[in-house]
Amino acid sequence: MNVSKFLPAGARFVRARLLVLLILPACAALAQSAPPTVIAHRGASGYVPEHTLEAKAYAHALGADFLEQDLVLTKDDVPVVLHDIHLDTVTDVAQKFPQRKRADGRFYALDFTLAEVKQLKVTERFNAKTGEPVFPKRFPAHRSTFQISTLEEELQLIEGLNRSTGRKVGIYPEIKQPKWHRVQGHDISRVVLPLLHKYGYATKADPCFLQCFELAEVRRLRNELGWRGRLVMLTEAKAVGADGTDYAALSTAAGLRDLATVADGIGPAISRIVTWNAAGQPTFTDLVALAHAEKLVVHPYTIRTDELPKHCPSSDALHSALFKESRIDGVFTDFTDVTLAWLRAAKVR
C-alpha cells in the first residue's frame, strides 16, 4: 500500500527531500565509477619499438584509451616523440653521425635538425654502452625500418585512426626535461602547447592529459602559459628529481592538497603505491586514498609483464594490487592487451 498519500503535505515534502538526500550520494558514486583508463606506454612498446608510429597504431588497434607521447625538441625546435633527450639508445645515430656526440659521449636530439633525425633508423631500446637489448624477448633489434616521428605526425595519425575506426582514443603527452631545454636555450612547453591547440586539445573536455616530472613546469604550464586542459604531475620512486622537485613531499597529504590547486592527477611510480616482500606479500601506501581525497586521478607507471616489480609474483598479482586493492583510476602499460584482458576478466571493463 502507498501510505504517502495519507501523509500531510508537509510530511510528504520532508519525505521527498530525505529521498533526494539519500539518492544523490549514490548517484555521485555511480558517476565516479568510470572504467579504469588504459594508457599505452610509448605505444604498444611490448611488441613494437617504442614511440614509433607503428607502435601507436598497434596500441590503438589493441584498444588503448590513451596513447602516450614523450616529447623532446630538435635543434630547429620541432617536437619529436622520443623517450629521452638522447638518441643513442634507440637509433643508429652513433653509426650515422659518429662525430656529433657531446663531451659525455652521448648524442642529443637537440643537436640535430629534424632532417638529420629523419635519417636515423629506430630500433628496440638497447644499452648504449654494451649494445645489449634492454628487453631481450621483445621485437628483434635492428630489424625492419622504423623512424622517429614528430608530434604533429603522430597527432595526424591518431586523428586519422579515430576517424576511420570511429573510436576516440586520447593523447597523453609528456614535456621531457623542460628545465634542461631552457638551459640549452629552448622552451619546449611554448613550442608544444600551440600544436596541441591546433589539433583540438585545449580544455579539460578534450581527450588529453599533459604530464611532466617537474613541479615548477607544471605550475608554469597552468599559471604562466595558460594550459586549460588536464594536467598530471609525475612522481619518481626516488625522493628528489634532477630538477629539485621533492617527490616525497608531493606524496603527502599536504603536498597533494597544494598540488590539487594546479593539477588534475598524479602519475606515480608503482612502488609509491605498492611493494612486495621476499615472500611475495604486498604492502600498500596511502597515496591513492590521499590523492582521491583531493579529487586527483591516479595513473601509475608502468605495467611490464616481462619486468615485474621486485618480488611481485605475477602479472595477475600486479594488476589485482593496483586495481582491486589500491583502486587506481588508470595505468600506463607496455602491454595494452594484457591489461585490458585482466580488466575484462575482473569485470571492471
Side-chain angles (χ1 to χ4, degrees):
M1 177 186 294
N2 183 3
V3 298
S4 62
K5 64 182 179 180
F6 299 111
L7 294 173
R12 288 201 299 271
F13 175 78
V14 170
R15 182 176 182 271
R17 290 285 293 169
L18 285 172
L19 284 172
V20 168
L21 290 173
L22 288 169
I23 291 169
L24 278 178
C27 292
L30 287 172
Q32 292 170 1
S33 60
T37 301
V38 176
I39 307 145
H41 183 246
R42 311 182 201 175
S45 54
Y47 304 109
V48 187
E50 66 185 51
H51 279 321
T52 56
L53 292 181
E54 291 85 349
K56 302 306 169 67
Y58 191 27
H60 193 290
L62 288 174
D65 300 310
F66 285 81
L67 306 176
E68 185 194 33
Q69 300 80 31
D70 291 314
L71 303 175
V72 304
L73 289 181
T74 62
K75 188 175 183 178
D76 41 354
D77 275 339
V78 178
V80 292
V81 185
L82 187 70
H83 180 259
D84 303 314
I85 55 175
H86 306 111
L87 292 163
D88 46 16
T89 54
V90 290
T91 76
D92 59 351
V93 65
Q95 288 74 48
K96 289 257 176 50
F97 299 99
Q99 305 306 316
R100 301 282 291 279
K101 61 187 175 184
R102 291 195 182 188
D104 62 0
R106 304 301 303 272
F107 295 80
Y108 291 75
L110 199 56
D111 295 337
F112 294 79
T113 65
L114 178 62
E116 291 170 330
V117 165
K118 285 296 188 179
Q119 296 177 44
L120 304 177
K121 265 184 86 170
V122 171
T123 186
E124 184 65 37
R125 178 168 289 275
F126 61 92
N127 185 302
K129 292 182 178 179
T130 67
E132 294 298 313
V134 174
F135 300 102
K137 294 183 179 180
R138 296 191 181 184
F139 198 93
H142 311 293
R143 292 288 194 274
S144 194
T145 302
F146 303 97
Q147 271 195 331
I148 291 172
S149 61
T150 68
L151 171 60
E152 186 156 31
E153 287 169 341
E154 182 157 323
L155 293 180
Q156 289 177 358
L157 172 73
I158 296 167
E159 182 181 67
L161 287 172
N162 282 347
R163 178 176 176 178
S164 62
T165 64
R167 299 187 65 224
K168 193 174 183 180
V169 176
I171 65 170
Y172 215 122
E174 180 189 340
I175 305 292
K176 299 293 289 190
Q177 297 191 226
K179 182 178 179 180
W180 178 87
H181 274 90
R182 286 201 301 278
V183 169
Q184 304 293 315
H186 298 256
D187 192 337
I188 183 170
S189 293
R190 285 193 183 277
V191 175
V192 169
L193 293 189
L195 261 179
L196 296 181
H197 279 260
K198 177 181 176 180
Y199 284 88
Y201 304 105
T203 73
K204 293 184 183 184
D206 301 318
C208 173
F209 287 92
L210 185 60
Q211 56 178 339
C212 187
F213 276 104
E214 299 181 12
L215 179 58
E217 195 70 10
V218 167
R219 294 191 187 283
R220 180 173 178 253
L221 284 161
R222 183 68 83 204
N223 299 326
E224 179 187 334
L225 301 181
W227 171 249
R228 293 293 170 258
R230 287 176 284 186
L231 192 55
V232 169
M233 178 72 222
L234 295 166
T235 57
E236 296 183 47
K238 61 185 179 182
V240 180
D243 70 308
T245 297
D246 190 336
Y247 298 128
L250 273 176
S251 301
T252 65
L256 291 165
R257 191 175 307 116
D258 182 54
L259 181 64
T261 62
V262 292
D264 302 282
I266 58 171
I270 286 173
S271 61
R272 284 202 169 273
I273 294 175
V274 57
T275 55
W276 286 262
N277 63 21
Q281 299 301 314
T283 298
F284 298 91
T285 71
D286 59 357
L287 179 61
V288 177
L290 291 174
H292 283 168
E294 301 302 330
K295 296 182 171 55
L296 294 166
V297 297
V298 182
H299 295 162
Y301 64 92
T302 305
I303 288 178
R304 294 184 172 110
T305 60
D306 52 356
E307 188 181 71
L308 294 171
K310 187 176 182 180
H311 300 311
C312 179
S314 68
S315 172
D316 283 348
L318 174 57
H319 282 89
S320 181
L322 291 173
F323 288 106
K324 283 190 172 180
E325 283 75 35
S326 295
R327 299 187 177 277
I328 61 171
D329 304 288
V331 75
F332 287 84
T333 177
D334 284 8
F335 298 89
T336 294
D337 55 332
V338 173
T339 296
L340 281 171
W342 188 92
L343 290 170
R344 287 167 184 148
K347 302 188 186 306
V348 288
R349 282 289 291 202

